[in-house]
Amino acid sequence: MLAEKKLDFEPQIEKTWERRPGFLALNPAGLLPVLVEDGGAALADVTAIVEYLEEISPETPLLPAEPLARAEVRRLVAWFCQKFHAEVTDHLVGEKVFRRLESGRNEPDSRRIRTGYAHIHQHLDYLGSLTERHGYLAGGLFTLADIAAAAQISAVDYVGDVPWDAHAPAKDWYARVKSRPSFRVLLADHLPGLPPPRHYADPDF
Amino acid sequence: MLAEKKLDFEPQIEKTWERRPGFLALNPAGLLPVLVEDGGAALADVTAIVEYLEEISPETPLLPAEPLARAEVRRLVAWFCQKFHAEVTDHLVGEKVFRRLESGRNEPDSRRIRTGYAHIHQHLDYLGSLTERHGYLAGGLFTLADIAAAAQISAVDYVGDVPWDAHAPAKDWYARVKSRPSFRVLLADHLPGLPPPRHYADPDF
């Protein structure tokens, strides 16, 4: 979102599970994302940060203008950040990445992984049905809904678990997202010791 | 929020766990709240609905004007809707009300109830520390943060589990909320077969 709006920023790594006191002072909930402004003000909570950036930087809108259309984008943001996350990302990325990072253990729970695989197809069908006609989730405009969906899907793609071949319309949408300059920077980001599959950063995957 | 903004509405009961097809057509996520506009448009997701109402009805603002202050209110909304809900409401109201409604079973899990009791004190302290000086959570203005906090706390108070006597500043804040005309209507609402404690609807509790 910051890159789409051409706002300068410096990303920082925060291992939230270490519950660093300096980080808890910025956000007592102990969660990411947190945005620290140049003046020192710390903003916490993803909705608070996203709505703030949209308010202070309206020149490159990531929400449509009309209230009902804005509500539909926000519904889709919740769909991907909450429902897709709970049904897919939390199972697959949770087991394959976060379990290892947080505890050093490395035996994924195969039942949870199967649950993630079982749910991803209906989500990719839904995404494809929404993006097929006009290109992006809420129509022709690239919005916060596309960012939310791409954030979840890129995390699952990093562990190689997106069944692209069975979901051509969703794949076409993701190729469009991947070709945006804002997104290419994210795709260059790697976890030490856990490289992504070869197609991960390739826009022509 | 609708009553604060003096917008006419007709509440409907929806037993989401029955997954009624007509309801899933309004919100495929199967969750409440859903708002159906007079023209028939259905809005789903609490953030989408709340931001929509604030946009179409700005005359009675429930968010402050300044972007950083708006972000702080939205952070507090997330605190109560997510963190308080996960640590307190879901344990206490989940066990004492929803378990019975959804499954007809009536044996609360005492371990989950103890977890809810263990967490509520720090939340009431936090709420009291924020409201003590200026009256409401974000200062002198009654905002969405107060609505979010009161929604969680009134549900826990309905099952008699708010330790008011140990938290005078939080109690003072809740007395202010209870005396608002918008809130008195909510307090008259009862679950069949599960009456609230006597103090529940009393502003001088």
Side-chain angles (χ1 to χ4, degrees):
Chain A
M1 181 175 188
L2 289 159
E4 284 286 336
K5 288 188 172 289
K6 307 213 176 358
L7 296 168
D8 272 339
F9 65 102
E10 196 186 314
Q12 302 279 344
I13 290 172
E14 183 65 46
K15 298 175 181 173
T16 52
W17 54 93
E18 293 178 353
R19 298 186 61 78
R20 197 171 57 82
F23 177 64
L24 294 177
L26 296 177
N27 181 12
L31 300 173
L32 290 172
V34 165
L35 175 74
V36 182
E37 279 283 24
D38 281 342
L43 289 84
D45 177 64
V46 63
T47 300
I49 291 172
V50 158
E51 297 286 345
Y52 170 79
L53 293 174
E54 191 67 14
E55 287 171 4
I56 64 161
S57 172
E59 308 79 23
T60 325
L62 291 168
L63 283 173
E66 199 270 318
L68 274 178
R70 293 164 74 85
E72 173 63 0
V73 169
R74 292 186 177 111
R75 180 188 74 82
L76 288 166
V77 168
W79 182 281
F80 287 99
C81 291
Q82 292 165 27
K83 192 173 169 69
F84 186 100
H85 181 270
E87 293 176 353
V88 180
T89 318
D90 190 40
H91 290 118
L92 299 175
V93 183
E95 288 302 315
K96 295 186 179 185
V97 177
F98 282 98
R99 177 191 281 258
R100 192 167 78 165
L101 287 176
E102 294 179 22
S103 68
R105 283 178 301 137
N106 202 3
E107 334 78 36
D109 179 335
S110 61
R111 204 171 41 87
R112 279 173 50 82
I113 286 179
R114 278 199 302 277
T115 303
Y117 289 152
H119 280 97
I120 197 169
H121 292 284
Q122 70 200 63
H123 280 287
L124 293 172
D125 285 343
Y126 186 50
L127 190 151
S129 73
L130 291 169
T131 56
E132 202 163 18
R133 196 174 310 175
H134 301 295
Y136 289 114
L137 272 163
L141 181 71
F142 179 82
T143 68
L144 295 173
D146 299 288
I147 295 179
Q152 297 297 321
I153 286 171
S154 65
V156 178
D157 199 36
Y158 191 97
V159 294
D161 282 348
V162 181
W164 290 120
D165 292 344
H167 300 278
K171 188 176 176 180
D172 289 344
W173 164 83
Y174 193 52
R176 279 189 287 278
V177 174
K178 272 172 138 177
S179 68
R180 298 182 77 88
S182 65
F183 211 70
R184 302 189 87 141
V185 184
L186 297 179
L187 294 173
D189 212 10
H190 286 191
L191 283 169
L194 189 72
R198 225 176 248 179
H199 75 264
Y200 174 71
D202 183 1
D204 303 313
F205 59 115
Chain B
M1 183 174 186
L2 290 159
E4 285 286 336
K5 288 189 172 289
K6 307 215 175 1
L7 296 167
D8 273 339
F9 65 101
E10 196 185 315
Q12 302 278 344
I13 290 172
E14 183 65 45
K15 299 175 181 173
T16 52
W17 55 91
E18 294 178 353
R19 299 187 60 77
R20 197 171 57 82
F23 177 64
L24 293 177
L26 295 178
N27 181 12
L31 300 172
L32 289 172
V34 165
L35 175 73
V36 182
E37 280 283 26
D38 281 342
L43 289 84
D45 177 64
V46 63
T47 300
I49 291 171
V50 158
E51 297 286 345
Y52 171 80
L53 293 174
E54 192 66 14
E55 288 172 2
I56 63 160
S57 171
E59 309 81 24
T60 324
L62 292 169
L63 284 173
E66 199 270 317
L68 275 178
R70 294 163 73 84
E72 173 63 1
V73 169
R74 291 186 177 112
R75 181 188 74 83
L76 289 165
V77 169
W79 181 282
F80 287 99
C81 291
Q82 290 165 29
K83 191 172 171 67
F84 186 101
H85 181 269
E87 293 176 354
V88 181
T89 319
D90 189 39
H91 290 119
L92 299 174
V93 183
E95 288 302 316
K96 296 187 179 184
V97 177
F98 282 98
R99 177 191 280 260
R100 192 168 78 165
L101 287 176
E102 295 178 21
S103 69
R105 283 177 302 137
N106 203 3
E107 333 79 36
D109 179 336
S110 61
R111 204 172 43 86
R112 279 173 51 82
I113 286 178
R114 277 198 305 276
T115 303
Y117 289 151
H119 280 97
I120 195 168
H121 292 284
Q122 69 198 65
H123 279 287
L124 293 172
D125 285 342
Y126 185 51
L127 191 151
S129 73
L130 291 169
T131 55
E132 200 163 17
R133 197 175 310 176
H134 300 293
Y136 289 115
L137 272 163
L141 181 71
F142 180 82
T143 68
L144 294 173
D146 299 289
I147 295 180
Q152 297 298 320
I153 286 170
S154 65
V156 178
D157 199 36
Y158 192 97
V159 294
D161 282 347
V162 181
W164 290 119
D165 291 344
H167 300 278
K171 188 177 176 179
D172 289 345
W173 164 83
Y174 194 51
R176 280 189 287 280
V177 173
K178 272 173 138 177
S179 67
R180 298 182 76 88
S182 66
F183 211 71
R184 302 190 86 142
V185 184
L186 298 179
L187 294 173
D189 211 9
H190 287 191
L191 283 169
L194 189 72
R198 224 176 250 179
H199 75 265
Y200 173 72
D202 183 1
D204 304 312
F205 58 115

